[in-house]
Amino acid sequence: MQADEVEASSRDAKRLAEFEQYRGLLFSVAYRMLGTVVDAEDMLQETFLRWLQAADDEIRSPRAFLMTIITRLCITQLQSARVQREQYVGEWLPEPVVTGQDGDPLALIRVDETLSMAFLVLLERLTPMERAVFLLREVFEYEYSEISSILNQSEANCRQILRRARQHVGSMRPRFEGSREKHRHLLETFLEAARNGNAEALVSVLAQDVVLYADGPAGFASREPVRGAANVASGAIGFRKLVEHGLEPRITEINGEPGVISYMNGKPRSVMTFREKNGRIEAIYLVTNPAKLAHLAGNREPE
């Protein structure tokens, strides 16, 4: 092997090690920006390729360089994706991710309340640039000078963009109340009532103004959310028949919170998470679109 080849190999190995150091951070940003695992992984791969190809004199700080690449790629991707989401039949929900499992390729993802389905749905209100500024400042706690450099915007403009983003989010920003134990207990109560077809028990854990958001496959998606405790409970009763026909619900950690993956013949059929308020379920997020569940096939865990 020639000296230049040895030098190039050593350089690539160093670049790979540096990239791996920040992989979790980069994926955490990309997933929150895009709301899909596949797109986030694509952005991660493209960032890695650009990282390998970059000249040494372009890189003052590996972390800053990588964050700049992936954030700008995500903004471009999201601008394209927004058109598709506006034409999406029914409710568009993010792809759920299983968190907290040892050995999971996503184990390095930053897990907190901003990873929840409720928070990610809320971010859909923002433009791509607003979303980037909001996440970098509010979630990842970047200074305005750093955000300005990443987005090639003035600090004054970044402050203005953040102000608009906060206004769009406003009072709708989810408030996370209670402990994980209470959250799981509420989930277990709901699941048991649904399994038994107990409408009264279902209504007892639902807020009167509860909303069910369902993201299903083309041709089966609900165009409008289901609203009200009685209507949501009525729909949940059908869960009993699915269990009788082989549906296997499993409680696991979804997007940092207790949730349910239901399997049919060993394949993921649906994912359910919810938002709690005052000890009752305020919103339910149900994903049944196969395209958004395929990456969960290897995550089957016992209760």
Side-chain angles (χ1 to χ4, degrees):
M1 183 178 292
Q2 300 296 320
D4 56 345
E5 293 177 334
V6 172
E7 182 178 352
S9 177
S10 176
R11 173 182 173 277
D12 287 351
K14 180 182 178 183
R15 287 282 178 92
L16 175 59
E18 289 173 324
F19 182 84
E20 289 298 326
Q21 180 181 352
Y22 297 109
R23 177 185 288 273
L25 172 63
L26 298 175
F27 187 87
S28 292
V29 171
Y31 176 71
R32 285 172 173 83
M33 277 290 292
L34 303 175
T36 75
V37 174
V38 173
D39 286 343
E41 290 177 337
D42 286 346
M43 296 304 100
L44 208 62
Q45 179 65 21
E46 180 62 25
T47 297
F48 177 65
L49 293 176
R50 296 191 184 195
W51 168 244
L52 283 182
Q53 296 166 1
D56 290 339
D57 58 8
E58 294 182 67
I59 304 170
R60 295 182 179 179
S61 160
R63 185 175 188 268
F65 187 87
L66 290 166
M67 281 292 288
T68 298
I69 294 175
I70 202 159
T71 302
R72 292 183 182 182
L73 284 173
C74 286
I75 288 174
T76 300
Q77 176 67 19
L78 195 56
Q79 288 169 337
S80 174
R82 284 179 70 87
V83 176
Q84 299 175 9
R85 293 179 189 182
E86 288 170 0
Q87 299 172 345
Y88 198 80
V89 177
E91 191 75 23
W92 189 93
L93 295 178
E95 287 185 17
V97 294
V98 174
T99 50
Q101 290 188 3
D102 294 336
D104 191 293
L106 304 182
L108 292 177
I109 190 172
R110 172 173 167 171
V111 178
D112 57 27
E113 65 185 34
T114 68
L115 190 65
S116 72
M117 194 69 69
F119 189 85
L120 294 177
V121 168
L122 185 63
L123 291 180
E124 289 297 307
R125 295 170 173 265
L126 306 180
T127 67
M129 186 63 73
E130 288 172 347
R131 193 161 179 162
V133 173
F134 186 84
L135 286 171
L136 289 173
R137 180 63 180 173
E138 298 285 282
V139 177
F140 295 96
E141 301 178 338
Y142 272 66
E143 298 296 331
Y144 284 108
S145 58
E146 296 174 297
I147 300 172
S148 171
S149 178
I150 290 173
L151 300 178
N152 196 26
Q153 301 279 332
S154 68
E155 289 188 38
N157 198 24
C158 288
R159 291 177 186 274
Q160 186 177 19
I161 293 171
L162 180 61
R163 190 177 302 114
R164 289 201 306 267
R166 285 171 172 168
Q167 290 172 348
H168 292 159
V169 171
S171 61
M172 292 297 294
R173 184 165 181 172
R175 300 293 188 266
F176 295 84
E177 304 172 355
S179 65
R180 288 181 56 84
E181 290 73 21
K182 290 182 179 179
H183 192 105
R184 184 182 175 98
H185 177 70
L186 191 58
L187 175 63
E188 290 173 340
T189 302
F190 176 89
L191 192 60
E192 186 64 20
R195 278 171 166 164
N196 296 330
N198 190 332
E200 184 177 349
L202 280 168
V203 171
S204 72
V205 298
L206 299 173
Q208 286 302 306
D209 57 351
V210 63
V211 183
L212 168 63
Y213 302 96
D215 182 339
F220 296 90
S222 173
R223 291 183 177 273
E224 297 294 335
V226 179
R227 301 180 184 276
N231 292 330
V232 172
S234 177
I237 293 299
F239 183 78
R240 181 179 184 179
K241 291 184 178 179
L242 291 174
V243 172
E244 291 174 351
H245 285 83
L247 190 72
E248 299 178 59
R250 294 285 185 269
I251 294 178
T252 189
E253 186 178 290
I254 303 292
N255 287 68
E257 299 177 319
V260 177
I261 304 180
S262 294
Y263 296 88
M264 182 71 79
N265 298 323
K267 297 181 179 180
R269 172 76 175 268
S270 68
V271 168
M272 186 194 79
T273 58
F274 68 85
R275 185 174 75 239
E276 172 192 357
K277 184 177 181 181
N278 298 326
R280 294 202 172 195
I281 297 174
E282 181 182 43
I284 298 173
Y285 305 96
L286 181 66
V287 179
T288 61
N289 189 335
K292 295 186 176 183
L293 302 177
H295 66 281
L296 300 176
N299 285 291
R300 186 169 180 174
E301 294 288 334
E303 284 189 68

